[in-house]
C-alpha cells in the first residue's frame, strides 16, 4: 500500500524542507489538500495553485502530485491546478454537476482524474463513472482538517469499490486506484490495506513533532509488514 503525505500539519514556512525530507524517506506521491474557506464545514482555507506550483518545482517531475479539491467551484477553477503542475485532480462528487464532463476535460489536458466521496455519500453516486476514473478516494474523516479520528464505518463502502474495480479490471477495464484519506496511522494501516486500499493519505501520522517523516513512515511500513 502506497503511503502519501498530506501536508496540512506541516509548518508552511518549512515546506521545502518537509518535501525534501519526505522524498529522502522514500515518498513518491504527495497529497495536497486545497480548501477554499467555504466548502468544508469548518470553513478552512489552506492554499492554492501558487503554492502547488512551488511544491511541484521543489519535488521535481518524478514525484506524483495530486490535489484534493475541497472547493465550491471545482468545475470552474480545476484548470489552474493542472497549470500548476499536478498529475491528478481529485474532485468531490458532492461539488460537481457534470462529473463525466470534468473527467473528460481533465483527461483532455493530460491530467488524471480522481473522484472523492464524503463519508455520508453513497458509493452509487460514482459507480457509473468508475470506468473513466483513474482513482476513487473514500474519505474516512469529514473533510476540513488533519488530525481527526478514523471512521471504521467506511469499510463497507471501501470494499464495494474494491469489488467493483476488481470486476472492471477482470473485464479488461481501467485499473482505477482506490485511496483512503483521514485518520490513517500505524495502528489502522493494515486494516485498510486488508479492505483493498492501494493508496493511503497520512497527514498527522507522518508530519508531526513525535518523529521524523522517515521514522513515522518506517513505523507504518512495519505495521504493514513491509
Ligand atoms: C482532511 C484532508 C486529509 C487530512 C489527512 O480534510 O483531506 O487529507 O489532511 O490528515 P490526517 O491523516 O491527519 O487525518
Ligand atoms: Zn485530503
Amino acid at each position: 500500500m502506497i503511503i502519501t503525505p498530506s501536508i496540512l500539519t506541516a509548518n508552511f514556512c518549512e515546506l521545502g524542507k518537509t518535501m525534501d525530507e519526505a522524498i529522502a524517506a522514500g515518498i513518491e506521491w504527495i497529497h495536497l489538500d486545497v480548501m477554499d474557506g467555504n466548502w468544508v464545514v469548518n470553513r478552512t482555507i489552506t492554499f492554492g495553485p501558487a503554492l502547488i506550483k512551488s511544491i511541484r518545482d521543489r519535488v521535481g517531475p518524478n514525484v506524483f502530485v495530486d490535489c484534493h479539491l475541497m472547493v465550491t467551484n471545482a468545475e470552474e477553477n480545476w484548470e489552474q491546478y493542472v497549470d500548476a503542475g499536478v498529475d491528478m485532480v481529485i474532485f468531490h462528487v458532492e461539488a460537481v454537476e457534470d462529473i463525466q464532463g470534468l473527467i473528460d476535460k481533465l483527461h483532455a489536458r493530460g491530467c488524471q482524474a480522481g473522484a472523492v466521496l464524503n463519508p455520508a455519500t453513497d458509493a452509487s453516486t460514482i459507480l457509473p463513472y468508475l470506468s473513466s476514473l483513474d482513482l476513487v478516494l473514500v474519505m474516512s474523516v469529514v473533510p476540513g482538517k488533519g488530525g481527526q479520528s478514523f471512521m471504521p464505518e467506511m469499510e463497507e463502502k471501501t470494499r464495494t469499490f474494491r469489488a467493483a474495480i476488481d470486476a472492471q479490471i477482470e473485464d479488461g477495464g481501467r485499473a482505477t486506484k482506490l485511496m483512503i484519506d483521514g485518520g490513517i496511522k500505524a495502528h489502522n494501516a493494515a486494516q485498510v490495506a486488508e479492505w483493498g486500499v492501494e493508496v493511503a493519505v497520512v497527514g498527522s501520522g507522518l508530519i508531526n513533532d513525535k518523529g521524523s517523516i522517515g521514522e513515522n513512515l518506517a513505523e507504518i511500513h512495519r505495521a504493514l509488514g513491509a
Side-chain angles (χ1 to χ4, degrees):
M1 183 167 75
I2 297 169
I3 303 295
T4 174
S6 154
I7 62 170
L8 285 194
T9 50
N11 173 346
F12 281 20
C13 288
E14 305 284 338
L15 269 185
K17 277 173 29 192
T18 304
M19 292 296 94
D20 296 347
E21 188 188 340
I23 293 167
I27 291 290
E28 296 177 334
W29 182 325
I30 304 288
H31 178 81
L32 299 178
D33 287 309
V34 177
M35 300 179 199
D36 64 359
N38 183 45
W39 196 74
V40 298
V41 287
N42 49 333
R43 301 284 183 257
T44 307
I45 294 176
T46 56
F47 47 78
L51 186 103
I52 291 176
K53 174 144 181 18
S54 300
I55 289 177
R56 169 88 275 166
D57 294 344
R58 181 66 169 242
V59 300
N62 300 325
V63 172
F64 192 89
V65 177
D66 81 53
C67 65
H68 172 188
L69 296 187
M70 291 161 274
V71 301
T72 311
N73 56 350
E75 279 176 292
E76 280 78 55
N77 69 6
W78 61 272
E79 197 150 24
Q80 54 190 306
Y81 297 97
V82 177
D83 294 340
V86 300
D87 298 291
M88 178 186 283
V89 168
I90 308 175
F91 59 84
H92 268 273
V93 295
E94 304 88 354
V96 167
E97 287 294 315
D98 179 1
I99 292 173
Q100 189 62 55
L102 182 51
I103 294 169
D104 294 345
K105 284 179 195 162
L106 286 164
H107 285 166
R109 275 292 314 263
C111 185
Q112 294 190 36
V116 43
L117 298 83
N118 282 337
T121 303
D122 192 81
S124 59
T125 57
I126 207 64
L127 287 173
Y129 308 95
L130 197 60
S131 58
S132 306
L133 283 167
D134 302 290
L135 178 136
V136 170
L137 170 51
V138 175
M139 288 306 293
S140 40
V141 295
V142 174
K145 60 181 187 297
Q148 300 180 79
S149 301
F150 174 68
M151 297 171 70
E153 59 271 37
M154 290 301 109
E155 177 174 2
E156 185 188 350
K157 186 193 299 185
T158 306
R159 289 187 184 276
T160 298
F161 280 122
R162 182 68 273 148
I165 292 167
D166 288 348
Q168 179 171 281
I169 294 169
E170 188 69 28
D171 293 345
R174 191 186 296 260
T176 304
K177 285 193 180 60
L178 183 54
M179 178 189 262
I180 198 162
D181 180 3
I184 305 298
K185 305 282 192 300
H187 71 83
N188 56 16
Q191 178 182 5
V192 298
E194 198 275 325
W195 294 357
V197 166
E198 292 148 299
V199 189
V201 177
V202 181
S204 54
L206 269 185
I207 302 175
N208 57 46
D209 48 18
K210 283 203 304 284
S212 71
I213 293 175
E215 288 161 348
N216 292 330
L217 182 63
E219 187 192 1
I220 295 171
H221 281 159
R222 278 194 299 277
L224 289 168

